[in-house]
Amino acid sequence: MPEETDAKPPTVTPVRVLIALCLAAPFVAMLWVGSYARVNPTFIGIPFFYWYQMLWVLISTALTMVAYKLWQRDQRARKGGASA
């Protein structure tokens, strides 16, 4: 059986799994309401329920940026470009 010279890279790679985890984590955290549906601990007088959600806005932004950079690197690598 001859090997193909134009073989496509696998669709599911560890980098793409990491990208999916970065994008799925905020959804899972916000859908699991029982983990943050409480008042204590408060932070500067703000109940936990509110500041936890606002913290996830920042975390989601950072995770989305990481996922985007990983996606760009993955696309360059698939096209034969530099991986930096």
Side-chain angles (χ1 to χ4, degrees):
M1 187 180 251
E3 285 190 34
E4 295 180 30
T5 56
D6 292 333
K8 286 185 169 182
T11 303
V12 178
T13 62
V15 172
R16 288 186 174 195
V17 170
L18 183 59
I19 290 168
L21 288 174
C22 286
L23 296 176
F27 288 107
V28 172
M30 291 292 92
L31 289 175
W32 186 22
V33 178
S35 69
Y36 63 91
R38 52 194 156 116
V39 175
N40 290 322
T42 59
F43 177 68
I44 60 171
I46 301 169
F48 181 74
F49 181 80
Y50 295 110
W51 69 257
Y52 178 81
Q53 291 179 57
M54 291 300 107
L55 180 63
W56 269 102
V57 169
L58 300 175
I59 294 169
S60 298
T61 302
L63 289 174
T64 302
M65 287 177 15
V66 168
Y68 178 69
K69 291 298 184 183
L70 288 172
W71 180 258
Q72 283 183 324
R73 192 172 84 180
D74 183 61
Q75 292 304 300
R76 278 194 303 268
R78 286 176 175 271
K79 292 179 182 174
S83 61

